[in-house]
Amino acid sequence: MKRIVILISGRGSNMEAIVQRCAAEGWPAAVVAVISNRPDAAGLAFASAHGIAAAVVDHRAWRERAAFDQALAQAIDAHEPDLVVLAGFMRILGADFVRRYEGRLLNIHPSLLPAFPGLHTHRRALQAGCKLAGATVHFVTPELDHGPIVMQSVVPVQSGDDEHALAARVLATEHVIYPQSVRWFVEGLLVLGDGLVRQREGRPQLLVADAAPPVHR
Ligand code: NHR
Ligand code: GAR
């Protein structure tokens, strides 16, 4: 059984999708803890309701980023994880933290990396006139949003889209590619080499979604 710890900052819909798929599909894994840097994160209630340990490490309690990173690592390590999953986690992590979990730290970013690393991705994609948008699951490296890519989803940008509409269309695909990526990790089907990630069985690491209406949640 692989032990998964999920870090969130808010809603936690990606965390929910992973918890639900893990249970429904009988992965050789369990989500053993959900940790938020914000005490008001809605996702904490879902975790508790599902019998998952829910904890808060409030970044505002530490003046130095490195001290927060250390407290966070301590809270994570108490659960002896095989995999740490950033799911809408909104604090930049230092190099020491990242190296501690090297090769077992995943993130989902709501853009087609390497385009638009950082914040406000949907707004920036619309401002740039992009006709495609999407999401990227990647291994986390010290350089923000630059790690080896596990999976991507692509959606069309539609005329009349605002940030909210585009975000919802992308989010619906995140709920597919993030659980898929985590499942492959816990099944030992992801091979990392030369900064690239290969799916051992050659399964597609790309989801092309059509223009179907977004699933709002
Ligand atoms: N840390 C490292 N080292 N590498 C990555 O790839 C990381 C990371 C930490 C978080 C998620 C992320 C994203 O997918 C992530 C990837 C927060 C910010 C940010 O600027 C940027 C990227 C990501 C998450 N955070 C502000 C900060 O000062 C705070 C913003 C807020 O609280 O709303 O940390 O894009
Ligand atoms: C998701 O769209 C995720 O890709 C994005 O925030 C949302 C979190 O939703 N992550 C980032 O922007 C990281 N900087 P969720 O809390 O419902 O999973």
Side-chain angles (χ1 to χ4, degrees), residues 6-9 14 18 83-93 98 104-111 113 116-118 121 135-141 143-152 174 177-178 181-182:
I6 304 184
L7 306 188
I8 64 169
S9 295
N14 277 292
I18 291 164
L83 174 64
V84 178
V85 172
L86 307 184
F89 181 72
M90 295 308 292
R91 297 300 296 177
I92 295 174
L93 298 161
V98 171
R104 53 186 179 118
L105 183 57
L106 289 175
N107 178 44
I108 190 160
H109 181 73
S111 80
L113 290 175
F116 309 121
T121 55
T136 303
V137 177
H138 65 95
F139 281 97
V140 175
T141 58
E143 193 180 353
L144 189 67
D145 293 330
H146 271 75
I149 292 172
V150 176
M151 212 173 171
Q152 288 188 308
E174 295 183 41
I177 66 170
Y178 214 3
S181 299
V182 172

mmCIF file of all heavy atoms in Angstrom, residues 6-9 14 18 83-93 98 104-111 113 116-118 121 135-141 143-152 174 177-178 181-182:
data_model
loop_
_atom_site.group_PDB
_atom_site.id
_atom_site.type_symbol
_atom_site.label_atom_id
_atom_site.label_comp_id
_atom_site.label_asym_id
_atom_site.label_seq_id
_atom_site.Cartn_x
_atom_site.Cartn_y
_atom_site.Cartn_z
ATOM 1 N N ILE A 6 -1.686 14.691 0.647
ATOM 2 C CA ILE A 6 -2.096 15.739 -0.294
ATOM 3 C C ILE A 6 -2.065 17.102 0.387
ATOM 4 O O ILE A 6 -2.602 17.266 1.483
ATOM 5 C CB ILE A 6 -3.507 15.458 -0.860
ATOM 6 C CG1 ILE A 6 -3.555 14.066 -1.517
ATOM 7 C CG2 ILE A 6 -3.900 16.540 -1.864
ATOM 8 C CD1 ILE A 6 -4.886 13.725 -2.195
ATOM 9 N N LEU A 7 -1.420 18.068 -0.273
ATOM 10 C CA LEU A 7 -1.360 19.439 0.241
ATOM 11 C C LEU A 7 -2.335 20.320 -0.540
ATOM 12 O O LEU A 7 -2.338 20.293 -1.776
ATOM 13 C CB LEU A 7 0.051 20.023 0.097
ATOM 14 C CG LEU A 7 1.214 19.231 0.704
ATOM 15 C CD1 LEU A 7 2.496 20.070 0.637
ATOM 16 C CD2 LEU A 7 0.931 18.822 2.136
ATOM 17 N N ILE A 8 -3.153 21.073 0.178
ATOM 18 C CA ILE A 8 -4.140 21.955 -0.448
ATOM 19 C C ILE A 8 -4.038 23.348 0.165
ATOM 20 O O ILE A 8 -3.378 23.550 1.203
ATOM 21 C CB ILE A 8 -5.585 21.426 -0.264
ATOM 22 C CG1 ILE A 8 -5.980 21.408 1.231
ATOM 23 C CG2 ILE A 8 -5.739 20.030 -0.862
ATOM 24 C CD1 ILE A 8 -7.475 21.154 1.482
ATOM 25 N N SER A 9 -4.732 24.300 -0.492
ATOM 26 C CA SER A 9 -4.860 25.640 0.096
ATOM 27 C C SER A 9 -6.304 26.113 0.111
ATOM 28 O O SER A 9 -6.599 27.140 0.718
ATOM 29 C CB SER A 9 -4.028 26.665 -0.698
ATOM 30 O OG SER A 9 -2.651 26.383 -0.616
ATOM 31 N N ASN A 14 -9.428 18.834 -6.694
ATOM 32 C CA ASN A 14 -8.488 17.830 -7.225
ATOM 33 C C ASN A 14 -8.196 16.763 -6.174
ATOM 34 O O ASN A 14 -8.099 15.576 -6.498
ATOM 35 C CB ASN A 14 -7.200 18.496 -7.708
ATOM 36 C CG ASN A 14 -7.325 19.056 -9.109
ATOM 37 O OD1 ASN A 14 -7.442 18.310 -10.075
ATOM 38 N ND2 ASN A 14 -7.330 20.386 -9.219
ATOM 39 N N ILE A 18 -8.977 12.659 -6.469
ATOM 40 C CA ILE A 18 -7.976 11.619 -6.216
ATOM 41 C C ILE A 18 -8.468 10.646 -5.146
ATOM 42 O O ILE A 18 -8.384 9.424 -5.308
ATOM 43 C CB ILE A 18 -6.621 12.265 -5.827
ATOM 44 C CG1 ILE A 18 -6.017 12.982 -7.043
ATOM 45 C CG2 ILE A 18 -5.650 11.222 -5.263
ATOM 46 C CD1 ILE A 18 -4.904 13.955 -6.723
ATOM 47 N N LEU A 83 4.338 9.339 -1.528
ATOM 48 C CA LEU A 83 4.056 10.352 -2.547
ATOM 49 C C LEU A 83 3.412 11.562 -1.873
ATOM 50 O O LEU A 83 2.524 11.412 -1.038
ATOM 51 C CB LEU A 83 3.088 9.773 -3.595
ATOM 52 C CG LEU A 83 2.567 10.756 -4.654
ATOM 53 C CD1 LEU A 83 3.700 11.271 -5.534
ATOM 54 C CD2 LEU A 83 1.489 10.099 -5.513
ATOM 55 N N VAL A 84 3.870 12.747 -2.260
ATOM 56 C CA VAL A 84 3.275 13.996 -1.788
ATOM 57 C C VAL A 84 2.689 14.715 -3.005
ATOM 58 O O VAL A 84 3.371 14.891 -4.025
ATOM 59 C CB VAL A 84 4.312 14.888 -1.073
ATOM 60 C CG1 VAL A 84 3.682 16.206 -0.621
ATOM 61 C CG2 VAL A 84 4.917 14.151 0.127
ATOM 62 N N VAL A 85 1.415 15.092 -2.905
ATOM 63 C CA VAL A 85 0.673 15.641 -4.029
ATOM 64 C C VAL A 85 0.254 17.082 -3.720
ATOM 65 O O VAL A 85 -0.461 17.320 -2.744
ATOM 66 C CB VAL A 85 -0.587 14.774 -4.285
ATOM 67 C CG1 VAL A 85 -1.496 15.420 -5.323
ATOM 68 C CG2 VAL A 85 -0.190 13.364 -4.727
ATOM 69 N N LEU A 86 0.711 18.037 -4.537
ATOM 70 C CA LEU A 86 0.249 19.421 -4.407
ATOM 71 C C LEU A 86 -1.013 19.566 -5.250
ATOM 72 O O LEU A 86 -0.985 19.342 -6.458
ATOM 73 C CB LEU A 86 1.309 20.407 -4.926
ATOM 74 C CG LEU A 86 2.729 20.295 -4.371
ATOM 75 C CD1 LEU A 86 3.601 21.433 -4.936
ATOM 76 C CD2 LEU A 86 2.743 20.329 -2.856
ATOM 77 N N ALA A 87 -2.122 19.918 -4.593
ATOM 78 C CA ALA A 87 -3.401 20.022 -5.304
ATOM 79 C C ALA A 87 -4.026 21.380 -5.000
ATOM 80 O O ALA A 87 -4.761 21.531 -4.026
ATOM 81 C CB ALA A 87 -4.328 18.878 -4.893
ATOM 82 N N GLY A 88 -3.677 22.377 -5.815
ATOM 83 C CA GLY A 88 -4.128 23.735 -5.528
ATOM 84 C C GLY A 88 -3.417 24.290 -4.318
ATOM 85 O O GLY A 88 -3.962 25.111 -3.588
ATOM 86 N N PHE A 89 -2.173 23.842 -4.108
ATOM 87 C CA PHE A 89 -1.362 24.339 -2.987
ATOM 88 C C PHE A 89 -0.664 25.611 -3.446
ATOM 89 O O PHE A 89 -0.021 25.617 -4.493
ATOM 90 C CB PHE A 89 -0.340 23.285 -2.555
ATOM 91 C CG PHE A 89 0.494 23.730 -1.385
ATOM 92 C CD1 PHE A 89 -0.061 23.803 -0.114
ATOM 93 C CD2 PHE A 89 1.827 24.084 -1.559
ATOM 94 C CE1 PHE A 89 0.702 24.227 0.973
ATOM 95 C CE2 PHE A 89 2.591 24.496 -0.484
ATOM 96 C CZ PHE A 89 2.034 24.569 0.784
ATOM 97 N N MET A 90 -0.816 26.702 -2.680
ATOM 98 C CA MET A 90 -0.473 28.026 -3.208
ATOM 99 C C MET A 90 0.760 28.674 -2.569
ATOM 100 O O MET A 90 0.946 29.878 -2.697
ATOM 101 C CB MET A 90 -1.689 28.956 -3.060
ATOM 102 C CG MET A 90 -2.899 28.531 -3.893
ATOM 103 S SD MET A 90 -2.548 28.239 -5.660
ATOM 104 C CE MET A 90 -2.182 29.913 -6.186
ATOM 105 N N ARG A 91 1.622 27.919 -1.922
ATOM 106 C CA ARG A 91 2.868 28.505 -1.392
ATOM 107 C C ARG A 91 4.068 27.931 -2.142
ATOM 108 O O ARG A 91 4.178 26.703 -2.289
ATOM 109 C CB ARG A 91 3.047 28.171 0.105
ATOM 110 C CG ARG A 91 1.991 28.727 1.021
ATOM 111 C CD ARG A 91 1.878 30.227 1.002
ATOM 112 N NE ARG A 91 3.060 30.940 1.482
ATOM 113 C CZ ARG A 91 3.159 32.263 1.490
ATOM 114 N NH1 ARG A 91 2.184 33.014 1.028
ATOM 115 N NH2 ARG A 91 4.247 32.829 1.943
ATOM 116 N N ILE A 92 4.939 28.806 -2.585
ATOM 117 C CA ILE A 92 6.171 28.372 -3.245
ATOM 118 C C ILE A 92 7.063 27.689 -2.216
ATOM 119 O O ILE A 92 7.222 28.188 -1.098
ATOM 120 C CB ILE A 92 6.893 29.569 -3.887
ATOM 121 C CG1 ILE A 92 6.028 30.147 -5.010
ATOM 122 C CG2 ILE A 92 8.256 29.155 -4.417
ATOM 123 C CD1 ILE A 92 6.573 31.425 -5.611
ATOM 124 N N LEU A 93 7.608 26.546 -2.597
ATOM 125 C CA LEU A 93 8.411 25.734 -1.672
ATOM 126 C C LEU A 93 9.895 25.878 -1.994
ATOM 127 O O LEU A 93 10.285 25.943 -3.164
ATOM 128 C CB LEU A 93 7.987 24.262 -1.794
ATOM 129 C CG LEU A 93 6.527 24.022 -1.408
ATOM 130 C CD1 LEU A 93 6.020 22.702 -1.979
ATOM 131 C CD2 LEU A 93 6.358 24.076 0.110
ATOM 132 N N VAL A 98 11.931 20.738 -1.556
ATOM 133 C CA VAL A 98 11.711 20.004 -2.808
ATOM 134 C C VAL A 98 12.665 18.817 -2.913
ATOM 135 O O VAL A 98 12.275 17.711 -3.300
ATOM 136 C CB VAL A 98 11.848 20.957 -4.015
ATOM 137 C CG1 VAL A 98 11.847 20.175 -5.325
ATOM 138 C CG2 VAL A 98 10.713 21.982 -4.015
ATOM 139 N N ARG A 104 9.133 12.133 -5.721
ATOM 140 C CA ARG A 104 7.843 11.697 -5.141
ATOM 141 C C ARG A 104 6.998 12.897 -4.741
ATOM 142 O O ARG A 104 6.216 12.854 -3.792
ATOM 143 C CB ARG A 104 8.061 10.742 -3.956
ATOM 144 C CG ARG A 104 8.987 11.268 -2.888
ATOM 145 C CD ARG A 104 9.278 10.213 -1.831
ATOM 146 N NE ARG A 104 10.195 10.770 -0.843
ATOM 147 C CZ ARG A 104 9.913 10.937 0.445
ATOM 148 N NH1 ARG A 104 8.749 10.557 0.919
ATOM 149 N NH2 ARG A 104 10.796 11.451 1.261
ATOM 150 N N LEU A 105 7.139 13.990 -5.525
ATOM 151 C CA LEU A 105 6.393 15.219 -5.287
ATOM 152 C C LEU A 105 5.781 15.663 -6.618
ATOM 153 O O LEU A 105 6.493 15.983 -7.570
ATOM 154 C CB LEU A 105 7.354 16.284 -4.738
ATOM 155 C CG LEU A 105 6.806 17.656 -4.348
ATOM 156 C CD1 LEU A 105 5.691 17.544 -3.307
ATOM 157 C CD2 LEU A 105 7.938 18.533 -3.801
ATOM 158 N N LEU A 106 4.441 15.641 -6.672
ATOM 159 C CA LEU A 106 3.727 16.002 -7.911
ATOM 160 C C LEU A 106 2.941 17.292 -7.714
ATOM 161 O O LEU A 106 2.488 17.609 -6.620
ATOM 162 C CB LEU A 106 2.741 14.891 -8.311
ATOM 163 C CG LEU A 106 3.299 13.566 -8.828
ATOM 164 C CD1 LEU A 106 2.150 12.577 -9.052
ATOM 165 C CD2 LEU A 106 4.084 13.769 -10.128
ATOM 166 N N ASN A 107 2.749 18.026 -8.830
ATOM 167 C CA ASN A 107 1.917 19.231 -8.821
ATOM 168 C C ASN A 107 1.035 19.224 -10.066
ATOM 169 O O ASN A 107 1.386 18.619 -11.078
ATOM 170 C CB ASN A 107 2.810 20.483 -8.854
ATOM 171 C CG ASN A 107 2.001 21.781 -8.894
ATOM 172 O OD1 ASN A 107 1.013 21.928 -8.158
ATOM 173 N ND2 ASN A 107 2.404 22.721 -9.744
ATOM 174 N N ILE A 108 -0.119 19.891 -9.962
ATOM 175 C CA ILE A 108 -0.887 20.180 -11.180
ATOM 176 C C ILE A 108 -0.944 21.682 -11.348
ATOM 177 O O ILE A 108 -1.204 22.426 -10.398
ATOM 178 C CB ILE A 108 -2.297 19.548 -11.185
ATOM 179 C CG1 ILE A 108 -2.911 19.681 -12.572
ATOM 180 C CG2 ILE A 108 -3.187 20.144 -10.092
ATOM 181 C CD1 ILE A 108 -4.036 18.713 -12.851
ATOM 182 N N HIS A 109 -0.642 22.118 -12.558
ATOM 183 C CA HIS A 109 -0.626 23.545 -12.869
ATOM 184 C C HIS A 109 -1.604 23.801 -14.005
ATOM 185 O O HIS A 109 -1.584 23.083 -15.007
ATOM 186 C CB HIS A 109 0.796 23.967 -13.267
ATOM 187 C CG HIS A 109 0.890 25.427 -13.573
ATOM 188 N ND1 HIS A 109 0.842 26.389 -12.592
ATOM 189 C CD2 HIS A 109 0.995 26.093 -14.746
ATOM 190 C CE1 HIS A 109 0.921 27.583 -13.150
ATOM 191 N NE2 HIS A 109 1.021 27.431 -14.450
ATOM 192 N N PRO A 110 -2.472 24.828 -13.851
ATOM 193 C CA PRO A 110 -3.540 25.021 -14.848
ATOM 194 C C PRO A 110 -3.092 25.781 -16.088
ATOM 195 O O PRO A 110 -3.707 26.773 -16.480
ATOM 196 C CB PRO A 110 -4.602 25.782 -14.054
ATOM 197 C CG PRO A 110 -3.818 26.577 -13.070
ATOM 198 C CD PRO A 110 -2.611 25.734 -12.711
ATOM 199 N N SER A 111 -2.014 25.325 -16.728
ATOM 200 C CA SER A 111 -1.642 25.850 -18.041
ATOM 201 C C SER A 111 -0.893 24.760 -18.792
ATOM 202 O O SER A 111 -0.519 23.738 -18.221
ATOM 203 C CB SER A 111 -0.732 27.084 -17.926
ATOM 204 O OG SER A 111 0.607 26.710 -17.668
ATOM 205 N N LEU A 113 2.216 24.003 -19.645
ATOM 206 C CA LEU A 113 3.626 24.332 -19.391
ATOM 207 C C LEU A 113 4.457 23.881 -20.594
ATOM 208 O O LEU A 113 4.128 22.876 -21.224
ATOM 209 C CB LEU A 113 4.102 23.642 -18.107
ATOM 210 C CG LEU A 113 3.490 24.201 -16.818
ATOM 211 C CD1 LEU A 113 3.929 23.372 -15.616
ATOM 212 C CD2 LEU A 113 3.855 25.666 -16.608
ATOM 213 N N PHE A 116 3.145 30.033 -19.331
ATOM 214 C CA PHE A 116 2.441 30.579 -18.167
ATOM 215 C C PHE A 116 2.717 29.870 -16.843
ATOM 216 O O PHE A 116 1.787 29.417 -16.175
ATOM 217 C CB PHE A 116 0.933 30.621 -18.423
ATOM 218 C CG PHE A 116 0.560 31.291 -19.713
ATOM 219 C CD1 PHE A 116 -0.144 30.604 -20.686
ATOM 220 C CD2 PHE A 116 0.931 32.610 -19.963
ATOM 221 C CE1 PHE A 116 -0.483 31.208 -21.891
ATOM 222 C CE2 PHE A 116 0.596 33.221 -21.167
ATOM 223 C CZ PHE A 116 -0.117 32.520 -22.130
ATOM 224 N N PRO A 117 3.960 29.754 -16.436
ATOM 225 C CA PRO A 117 4.224 29.322 -15.064
ATOM 226 C C PRO A 117 3.752 30.413 -14.102
ATOM 227 O O PRO A 117 3.571 31.560 -14.533
ATOM 228 C CB PRO A 117 5.749 29.171 -15.025
ATOM 229 C CG PRO A 117 6.264 30.078 -16.095
ATOM 230 C CD PRO A 117 5.191 30.100 -17.166
ATOM 231 N N GLY A 118 3.534 30.074 -12.839
ATOM 232 C CA GLY A 118 3.150 31.094 -11.847
ATOM 233 C C GLY A 118 1.657 31.292 -11.761
ATOM 234 O O GLY A 118 0.889 30.379 -12.042
ATOM 235 N N THR A 121 -2.947 32.123 -14.534
ATOM 236 C CA THR A 121 -2.653 31.521 -15.840
ATOM 237 C C THR A 121 -3.777 31.734 -16.849
ATOM 238 O O THR A 121 -3.511 31.996 -18.012
ATOM 239 C CB THR A 121 -2.418 30.017 -15.673
ATOM 240 O OG1 THR A 121 -3.540 29.462 -15.030
ATOM 241 C CG2 THR A 121 -1.182 29.748 -14.853
ATOM 242 N N ALA A 135 -3.986 21.878 -18.769
ATOM 243 C CA ALA A 135 -3.350 21.686 -17.466
ATOM 244 C C ALA A 135 -2.186 20.720 -17.623
ATOM 245 O O ALA A 135 -2.137 19.933 -18.575
ATOM 246 C CB ALA A 135 -4.366 21.136 -16.459
ATOM 247 N N THR A 136 -1.264 20.807 -16.661
ATOM 248 C CA THR A 136 -0.054 19.989 -16.699
ATOM 249 C C THR A 136 0.205 19.374 -15.329
ATOM 250 O O THR A 136 0.254 20.088 -14.331
ATOM 251 C CB THR A 136 1.178 20.854 -17.068
ATOM 252 O OG1 THR A 136 0.945 21.506 -18.316
ATOM 253 C CG2 THR A 136 2.443 20.000 -17.151
ATOM 254 N N VAL A 137 0.360 18.049 -15.296
ATOM 255 C CA VAL A 137 0.836 17.373 -14.084
ATOM 256 C C VAL A 137 2.345 17.193 -14.246
ATOM 257 O O VAL A 137 2.797 16.701 -15.285
ATOM 258 C CB VAL A 137 0.163 16.003 -13.891
ATOM 259 C CG1 VAL A 137 0.742 15.298 -12.646
ATOM 260 C CG2 VAL A 137 -1.346 16.154 -13.773
ATOM 261 N N HIS A 138 3.103 17.618 -13.235
ATOM 262 C CA HIS A 138 4.563 17.503 -13.349
ATOM 263 C C HIS A 138 5.189 17.172 -12.004
ATOM 264 O O HIS A 138 4.608 17.460 -10.955
ATOM 265 C CB HIS A 138 5.160 18.808 -13.908
ATOM 266 C CG HIS A 138 4.995 20.009 -13.017
ATOM 267 N ND1 HIS A 138 5.956 20.433 -12.116
ATOM 268 C CD2 HIS A 138 3.964 20.877 -12.867
ATOM 269 C CE1 HIS A 138 5.530 21.504 -11.475
ATOM 270 N NE2 HIS A 138 4.319 21.789 -11.905
ATOM 271 N N PHE A 139 6.354 16.545 -12.073
ATOM 272 C CA PHE A 139 7.161 16.384 -10.869
ATOM 273 C C PHE A 139 7.696 17.760 -10.480
ATOM 274 O O PHE A 139 8.062 18.561 -11.347
ATOM 275 C CB PHE A 139 8.326 15.411 -11.109
ATOM 276 C CG PHE A 139 7.908 13.963 -11.062
ATOM 277 C CD1 PHE A 139 7.627 13.271 -12.233
ATOM 278 C CD2 PHE A 139 7.776 13.303 -9.836
ATOM 279 C CE1 PHE A 139 7.225 11.935 -12.186
ATOM 280 C CE2 PHE A 139 7.372 11.977 -9.787
ATOM 281 C CZ PHE A 139 7.101 11.288 -10.959
ATOM 282 N N VAL A 140 7.720 18.045 -9.183
ATOM 283 C CA VAL A 140 8.153 19.354 -8.709
ATOM 284 C C VAL A 140 9.672 19.385 -8.573
ATOM 285 O O VAL A 140 10.275 18.454 -8.034
ATOM 286 C CB VAL A 140 7.489 19.676 -7.350
ATOM 287 C CG1 VAL A 140 8.031 20.990 -6.775
ATOM 288 C CG2 VAL A 140 5.970 19.760 -7.516
ATOM 289 N N THR A 141 10.253 20.451 -9.117
ATOM 290 C CA THR A 141 11.687 20.726 -8.969
ATOM 291 C C THR A 141 11.815 22.095 -8.316
ATOM 292 O O THR A 141 10.819 22.820 -8.229
ATOM 293 C CB THR A 141 12.380 20.731 -10.343
ATOM 294 O OG1 THR A 141 11.746 21.722 -11.161
ATOM 295 C CG2 THR A 141 12.296 19.367 -11.025
ATOM 296 N N GLU A 143 12.861 24.825 -9.401
ATOM 297 C CA GLU A 143 12.410 25.906 -10.281
ATOM 298 C C GLU A 143 10.910 25.783 -10.503
ATOM 299 O O GLU A 143 10.415 24.741 -10.956
ATOM 300 C CB GLU A 143 13.157 25.849 -11.623
ATOM 301 C CG GLU A 143 12.945 27.114 -12.428
ATOM 302 C CD GLU A 143 13.671 27.100 -13.775
ATOM 303 O OE1 GLU A 143 14.453 26.157 -14.019
ATOM 304 O OE2 GLU A 143 13.435 28.015 -14.565
ATOM 305 N N LEU A 144 10.182 26.853 -10.197
ATOM 306 C CA LEU A 144 8.726 26.853 -10.185
ATOM 307 C C LEU A 144 8.129 26.388 -11.520
ATOM 308 O O LEU A 144 8.442 26.949 -12.570
ATOM 309 C CB LEU A 144 8.248 28.275 -9.873
ATOM 310 C CG LEU A 144 6.760 28.454 -9.593
ATOM 311 C CD1 LEU A 144 6.380 27.766 -8.299
ATOM 312 C CD2 LEU A 144 6.413 29.928 -9.541
ATOM 313 N N ASP A 145 7.263 25.384 -11.458
ATOM 314 C CA ASP A 145 6.497 24.927 -12.627
ATOM 315 C C ASP A 145 7.391 24.528 -13.808
ATOM 316 O O ASP A 145 7.049 24.769 -14.965
ATOM 317 C CB ASP A 145 5.480 26.005 -13.065
ATOM 318 C CG ASP A 145 4.388 26.218 -12.025
ATOM 319 O OD1 ASP A 145 4.055 25.261 -11.314
ATOM 320 O OD2 ASP A 145 3.878 27.342 -11.925
ATOM 321 N N HIS A 146 8.542 23.927 -13.513
ATOM 322 C CA HIS A 146 9.472 23.529 -14.573
ATOM 323 C C HIS A 146 9.839 22.048 -14.553
ATOM 324 O O HIS A 146 10.684 21.617 -15.314
ATOM 325 C CB HIS A 146 10.767 24.350 -14.495
ATOM 326 C CG HIS A 146 10.691 25.606 -15.285
ATOM 327 N ND1 HIS A 146 9.970 26.705 -14.857
ATOM 328 C CD2 HIS A 146 11.209 25.956 -16.488
ATOM 329 C CE1 HIS A 146 10.064 27.671 -15.756
ATOM 330 N NE2 HIS A 146 10.820 27.248 -16.749
ATOM 331 N N GLY A 147 9.222 21.258 -13.670
ATOM 332 C CA GLY A 147 9.651 19.863 -13.538
ATOM 333 C C GLY A 147 9.170 18.983 -14.676
ATOM 334 O O GLY A 147 8.341 19.385 -15.500
ATOM 335 N N PRO A 148 9.700 17.743 -14.722
ATOM 336 C CA PRO A 148 9.349 16.774 -15.758
ATOM 337 C C PRO A 148 7.832 16.542 -15.860
ATOM 338 O O PRO A 148 7.159 16.327 -14.852
ATOM 339 C CB PRO A 148 10.056 15.496 -15.296
ATOM 340 C CG PRO A 148 11.186 15.965 -14.451
ATOM 341 C CD PRO A 148 10.725 17.224 -13.796
ATOM 342 N N ILE A 149 7.310 16.585 -17.073
ATOM 343 C CA ILE A 149 5.866 16.538 -17.326
ATOM 344 C C ILE A 149 5.355 15.099 -17.369
ATOM 345 O O ILE A 149 5.854 14.271 -18.137
ATOM 346 C CB ILE A 149 5.535 17.279 -18.637
ATOM 347 C CG1 ILE A 149 5.785 18.780 -18.449
ATOM 348 C CG2 ILE A 149 4.087 17.025 -19.055
ATOM 349 C CD1 ILE A 149 5.672 19.605 -19.729
ATOM 350 N N VAL A 150 4.358 14.801 -16.548
ATOM 351 C CA VAL A 150 3.741 13.475 -16.483
ATOM 352 C C VAL A 150 2.594 13.373 -17.480
ATOM 353 O O VAL A 150 2.459 12.390 -18.201
ATOM 354 C CB VAL A 150 3.208 13.191 -15.059
ATOM 355 C CG1 VAL A 150 2.485 11.850 -15.014
ATOM 356 C CG2 VAL A 150 4.346 13.242 -14.040
ATOM 357 N N MET A 151 1.743 14.397 -17.500
ATOM 358 C CA MET A 151 0.538 14.345 -18.318
ATOM 359 C C MET A 151 0.053 15.761 -18.586
ATOM 360 O O MET A 151 0.245 16.650 -17.757
ATOM 361 C CB MET A 151 -0.532 13.551 -17.560
ATOM 362 C CG MET A 151 -1.468 12.781 -18.454
ATOM 363 S SD MET A 151 -2.583 11.700 -17.557
ATOM 364 C CE MET A 151 -3.623 11.256 -18.952
ATOM 365 N N GLN A 152 -0.565 15.958 -19.753
ATOM 366 C CA GLN A 152 -1.193 17.243 -20.052
ATOM 367 C C GLN A 152 -2.592 17.032 -20.608
ATOM 368 O O GLN A 152 -2.878 16.003 -21.230
ATOM 369 C CB GLN A 152 -0.359 18.045 -21.073
ATOM 370 C CG GLN A 152 0.923 18.589 -20.462
ATOM 371 C CD GLN A 152 1.675 19.538 -21.366
ATOM 372 O OE1 GLN A 152 1.948 19.199 -22.509
ATOM 373 N NE2 GLN A 152 2.023 20.701 -20.857
ATOM 374 N N GLU A 174 -8.588 18.497 -15.276
ATOM 375 C CA GLU A 174 -7.659 18.232 -14.168
ATOM 376 C C GLU A 174 -8.144 17.034 -13.361
ATOM 377 O O GLU A 174 -7.353 16.211 -12.901
ATOM 378 C CB GLU A 174 -7.543 19.462 -13.252
ATOM 379 C CG GLU A 174 -6.928 20.688 -13.926
ATOM 380 C CD GLU A 174 -6.778 21.859 -12.962
ATOM 381 O OE1 GLU A 174 -6.392 21.633 -11.802
ATOM 382 O OE2 GLU A 174 -7.055 23.005 -13.375
ATOM 383 N N ILE A 177 -6.903 13.956 -15.399
ATOM 384 C CA ILE A 177 -5.461 13.668 -15.565
ATOM 385 C C ILE A 177 -4.712 13.575 -14.243
ATOM 386 O O ILE A 177 -3.707 12.864 -14.167
ATOM 387 C CB ILE A 177 -4.747 14.663 -16.525
ATOM 388 C CG1 ILE A 177 -4.720 16.082 -15.958
ATOM 389 C CG2 ILE A 177 -5.373 14.612 -17.910
ATOM 390 C CD1 ILE A 177 -3.816 17.034 -16.779
ATOM 391 N N TYR A 178 -5.206 14.255 -13.180
ATOM 392 C CA TYR A 178 -4.447 14.162 -11.927
ATOM 393 C C TYR A 178 -4.632 12.782 -11.275
ATOM 394 O O TYR A 178 -3.644 12.117 -10.947
ATOM 395 C CB TYR A 178 -4.790 15.317 -10.984
ATOM 396 C CG TYR A 178 -3.603 15.776 -10.138
ATOM 397 C CD1 TYR A 178 -2.330 15.212 -10.290
ATOM 398 C CD2 TYR A 178 -3.741 16.794 -9.191
ATOM 399 C CE1 TYR A 178 -1.243 15.639 -9.530
ATOM 400 C CE2 TYR A 178 -2.660 17.234 -8.432
ATOM 401 C CZ TYR A 178 -1.418 16.652 -8.605
ATOM 402 O OH TYR A 178 -0.345 17.081 -7.849
ATOM 403 N N SER A 181 -2.591 10.283 -13.273
ATOM 404 C CA SER A 181 -1.143 10.400 -13.026
ATOM 405 C C SER A 181 -0.760 9.785 -11.685
ATOM 406 O O SER A 181 0.253 9.075 -11.573
ATOM 407 C CB SER A 181 -0.727 11.878 -13.036
ATOM 408 O OG SER A 181 -1.002 12.475 -14.284
ATOM 409 N N VAL A 182 -1.561 10.066 -10.658
ATOM 410 C CA VAL A 182 -1.257 9.540 -9.317
ATOM 411 C C VAL A 182 -1.386 8.020 -9.318
ATOM 412 O O VAL A 182 -0.570 7.304 -8.735
ATOM 413 C CB VAL A 182 -2.177 10.185 -8.255
ATOM 414 C CG1 VAL A 182 -2.009 9.510 -6.902
ATOM 415 C CG2 VAL A 182 -1.889 11.680 -8.148
#
